[in-house]
Amino acid sequence: MHEMSLCESILGILNEQAEKEAFSRVDRVCLEVGPLSGVETDALRFGFDVVMRGSIAETARLEIVTPPAMAWCLPCGVNVPISERFDPCPECGSHQLQVTSGEELRIKELEVS
Ligand SMILES: [Zn+2]
């Protein structure tokens, strides 16, 4: 499962940060997961629980924020909302779109103690 290895790399980052910034517990992890990132948030939550067990983030609360997927439409010259990567422009139907957001996959905030 892709989400499981993702959680393992998150834990790796947390451990690294813990060493650098000398904290011993993670209370909250806020992840930014774009709708185009290909990550299943249910699977991510499940993987998080499994992977964090016995770690510094065992009791951490997981928050997932999903930014809207947007693309720049060349003919319209504006940012338009999309729901899939290869969606046409909702305004003009053009496929000359360049995804500007929605592919995010990163730790947005950490609360530690
Ligand atoms: Zn357009």
Side-chain angles (χ1 to χ4, degrees), residues 72-78 80 88-97:
W72 178 259
C73 176
L74 268 178
C76 292
V78 291
V80 293
C89 170
E91 299 296 326
C92 70
S94 164
H95 279 275
Q96 286 174 275
L97 297 184

